[in-house]
Amino acid sequence: MSEGLPAVDGATVEVVRSYLAAAADEMRSTLIRTAFNPVIYEVLDFGISIYDERARLVAEAPGLTRFLGANDHSLKKGLEYVGVENLEAGDVVLLNYPYWNAAHSYDATLFSPVFLPDEETLVGFVCVRAHWMDLGAKDPGYVLDSTDMHQEGLIFPGTKVFSRGEPVHDVHELIRFNSRMPDVVLGDLHAQVSCLRTGQRRIVDVIAKFGLGTVQASIERFMQLGEQASLDAIAALPQGSWTAVDWMDDDGITDEPVRLEVTVTVADGTFTVDFAGSSPMVRGPVNLPFGATIACARVAFKALTTPFEQTNAGHMAPLRVKAEPGSLFHAVYPAATFTQWTGNLAVELIYKALAQGMPDRLGASSGGDVPGFMMVGAHPDTGAFFAISNNDPIGWGGTPHHDGAGPINHLCQTVARSTPIEVLEAKSGMLFERLEVRADSAGAGKHRGGPGIRRDIRFVSNGEFLSVVKKTRTRPWSLDGGQESEPTQVIAFPGTARERRLSTRRIAVSAGDRVTLLTAGGAGHGPVSERDPELVRRDVAEGIVSAAAASDTYGVDLDDR
């Protein structure tokens, strides 16, 4: 037990841990119920965390998987900049400077200190990040071709937006006059503040119930347990070092592919993820802040070690992440960082490396990307400016034990959801004419990948359509003799003289134009010849495999029973 803290029994430790986890969940509910922006309340593009007085993670609530621990980096950088000694009860600080924020500039992180009612005893911090729709970047919606940070919107390095419980009027007005969607953005800011206030109240309630010493002693104990659980899991993993390489379509400026490389080493009680060998920083906005790189590594590490435990700082103690400053995975000022699909590919790349040494634990590649799209324009009914987005599902890869799941959101966004069609149609100039599972989109194998989808969009008003995909040129990788799947495709103006394939692009669209999205299925695992013919017949009945592919790929005659 830490010096000066009371002894606590295991039951008390678990009850305190559960109270703190429940506090984070209540913060989550508050945010979802009060946010103005469907990317927050429908897609769940946020991250929520609770910290002790030393800025160590003690609890978090489910949100975007890649935000796992990203708030840790942001909070520490924000506290360094603002100074803990300059924080008072009721303060709320806004941070979106990408190199400190572990995200791009539209992922706004707000944090607050938690004081006891005496307003002098600091007992922790609460933090929430969420995606805002506009902060005055050079283009509306997503920025796909910026070449430095100053094209990516208004930047806050750690600025008080509430001081001693009162809004800082000048800062709120600065946001209002620099946003194309001020009511939505300020609404989301206040939703995040409500989320923080909920967390503050619940932490004070827990301390009032158990006493500060008991809560602090319980935190110390469950952090020790978290670290030991991770160390035990690492010891049970194969020991060694494995390297993998992949390619991203482009940087958004040129058509040159961008190299991604990682080496993962499991040895001596540590799990090291090193991105040496990856491309230097590029001109376009796909450079990743180092905090975001750490968050990507945490996703893979947590999934392999303690996937069923509530995360705290102890769990992450054995993880080491390396990336040379000035490289693709450690962006430095003034590198453009807005289109952070690099992180989606990075999570998959870590698994690709590990699969070489742990073939019984990992599946083949998923569809390999997050197929995103967005429309911006004037609403056909109201004339008001809108910007709305969606990330489409893909298939996950086949595993040594079962078929891949799908269609489902990419494995780096497992808790996140697609934007409902009803919301997209009501809030934009898009009409969805088809949304279905794509037959034969999954890689074949003893255990096939999960299927992708087809989505057909018809535009009912003029505007701009943005496609955000970064893996359309290279196929998802298979394992153990399985087959690769076809990559995602975005087809603009299909069936016309203007038909073209898109990667990450912004195009003008008019009423009557169409776009088709064909998302990738997961790759296969194991030889096709070993697949049970009855499973092939079931796949045909469910529309996952065509009758032709059943015969040509699997050698199954549907009439031969």
Side-chain angles (χ1 to χ4, degrees), residues 178-258:
N178 279 278
S179 175
R180 300 174 180 89
M181 304 174 72
D183 292 343
V184 172
V185 168
L186 287 172
D188 289 338
L189 184 154
H190 285 280
Q192 288 176 259
V193 172
S194 296
C195 165
L196 296 176
R197 299 297 189 225
T198 298
Q200 290 171 320
R201 288 194 299 271
R202 294 299 170 256
I203 293 169
V204 171
D205 289 346
V206 172
I207 292 171
K209 183 177 182 67
F210 294 98
L212 179 58
T214 296
V215 171
Q216 290 177 331
S218 297
I219 288 171
E220 291 294 336
R221 181 59 182 147
F222 68 64
M223 284 191 182
Q224 292 168 5
L225 293 170
E227 181 174 0
Q228 190 59 53
S230 290
L231 290 171
D232 291 344
I234 289 173
L237 292 175
Q239 307 293 292
S241 185
W242 307 278
T243 299
V245 174
D246 203 352
W247 297 88
M248 185 162 49
D249 283 356
D250 55 53
D251 70 348
I253 303 297
T254 75
D255 290 329
E256 291 298 314
V258 180

Side-chain angles (χ1 to χ4, degrees), residues 206-348:
V206 172
I207 292 171
K209 183 177 182 67
F210 294 98
L212 179 58
T214 296
V215 171
Q216 290 177 331
S218 297
I219 288 171
E220 291 294 336
R221 181 59 182 147
F222 68 64
M223 284 191 182
Q224 292 168 5
L225 293 170
E227 181 174 0
Q228 190 59 53
S230 290
L231 290 171
D232 291 344
I234 289 173
L237 292 175
Q239 307 293 292
S241 185
W242 307 278
T243 299
V245 174
D246 203 352
W247 297 88
M248 185 162 49
D249 283 356
D250 55 53
D251 70 348
I253 303 297
T254 75
D255 290 329
E256 291 298 314
V258 180
R259 179 184 175 92
L260 287 69
E261 181 173 336
V262 71
T263 298
V264 183
T265 303
V266 182
D268 302 322
T270 61
F271 188 104
T272 302
V273 181
D274 188 347
F275 288 93
S278 295
S279 167
M281 288 193 318
V282 292
R283 188 162 176 247
V286 297
N287 304 290
L288 210 60
F290 187 54
T293 299
I294 295 171
C296 293
R298 287 185 170 197
V299 172
F301 176 71
K302 190 70 167 63
L304 275 172
T305 53
T306 56
F308 304 113
E309 296 188 13
Q310 283 273 353
T311 306
N312 61 62
H315 288 104
M316 297 299 167
L319 176 64
R320 309 285 184 267
V321 184
K322 300 179 180 180
E324 188 69 23
S327 68
L328 184 72
F329 287 99
H330 193 151
V332 296
Y333 176 85
T337 62
F338 202 96
T339 313
Q340 297 201 347
W341 261 235
T342 312
N344 305 330
L345 275 60
V347 174
E348 203 99 56

Side-chain angles (χ1 to χ4, degrees), residues 124-136:
F125 301 90
V126 284
C127 185
V128 54
R129 74 173 60 223
H131 183 83
W132 289 359
M133 290 308 295
D134 192 275
L135 270 176

Side-chain angles (χ1 to χ4, degrees), residues 5-255:
L5 294 177
V8 288
D9 58 68
T12 301
V13 171
E14 288 304 313
V15 170
V16 170
R17 173 158 54 182
S18 295
Y19 264 93
L20 292 169
D25 282 339
E26 191 171 347
M27 292 171 66
R28 181 180 190 265
S29 296
T30 300
L31 179 65
I32 291 171
R33 291 174 179 174
T34 57
F36 280 45
N37 166 14
V39 169
I40 299 175
Y41 64 76
E42 293 285 2
V43 177
L44 311 182
D45 190 343
F46 56 73
I48 293 169
S49 312
I50 295 175
Y51 299 86
D52 69 1
E53 74 283 359
R54 293 160 58 187
R56 299 179 301 172
L57 178 69
V58 299
E60 62 181 6
L64 198 65
T65 312
R66 262 187 54 206
F67 285 168
L68 178 69
N71 286 353
D72 300 12
H73 189 84
S74 305
L75 177 64
K76 289 172 183 174
K77 291 294 185 182
L79 292 176
E80 288 173 8
Y81 179 77
V82 176
V84 176
E85 69 280 4
N86 296 317
L87 292 175
E88 300 178 277
D91 287 354
V92 178
V93 177
L94 167 61
L95 169 66
N96 74 332
Y97 183 59
Y99 320 108
W100 296 348
N101 190 39
H104 64 188
S105 57
Y106 279 16
D107 285 335
T109 298
L110 274 66
F111 66 86
S112 292
V114 182
F115 288 91
L116 292 184
D118 62 13
E119 297 192 355
E120 294 182 359
T121 306
L122 178 69
V123 294
F125 301 90
V126 284
C127 185
V128 54
R129 74 173 60 223
H131 183 83
W132 289 359
M133 290 308 295
D134 192 275
L135 270 176
K138 75 181 189 72
D139 300 314
Y142 242 70
V143 182
L144 306 180
D145 61 354
S146 51
T147 55
D148 69 58
M149 182 198 75
H150 297 289
Q151 300 172 354
E152 298 178 345
L154 196 61
I155 299 298
F156 295 92
T159 305
K160 289 186 182 182
V161 289
F162 278 73
S163 178
R164 295 196 59 80
E166 295 299 323
V168 181
H169 177 76
D170 290 350
V171 176
H172 287 231
E173 290 299 286
L174 185 66
I175 294 170
R176 182 188 308 279
F177 281 90
N178 279 278
S179 175
R180 300 174 180 89
M181 304 174 72
D183 292 343
V184 172
V185 168
L186 287 172
D188 289 338
L189 184 154
H190 285 280
Q192 288 176 259
V193 172
S194 296
C195 165
L196 296 176
R197 299 297 189 225
T198 298
Q200 290 171 320
R201 288 194 299 271
R202 294 299 170 256
I203 293 169
V204 171
D205 289 346
V206 172
I207 292 171
K209 183 177 182 67
F210 294 98
L212 179 58
T214 296
V215 171
Q216 290 177 331
S218 297
I219 288 171
E220 291 294 336
R221 181 59 182 147
F222 68 64
M223 284 191 182
Q224 292 168 5
L225 293 170
E227 181 174 0
Q228 190 59 53
S230 290
L231 290 171
D232 291 344
I234 289 173
L237 292 175
Q239 307 293 292
S241 185
W242 307 278
T243 299
V245 174
D246 203 352
W247 297 88
M248 185 162 49
D249 283 356
D250 55 53
D251 70 348
I253 303 297
T254 75
D255 290 329

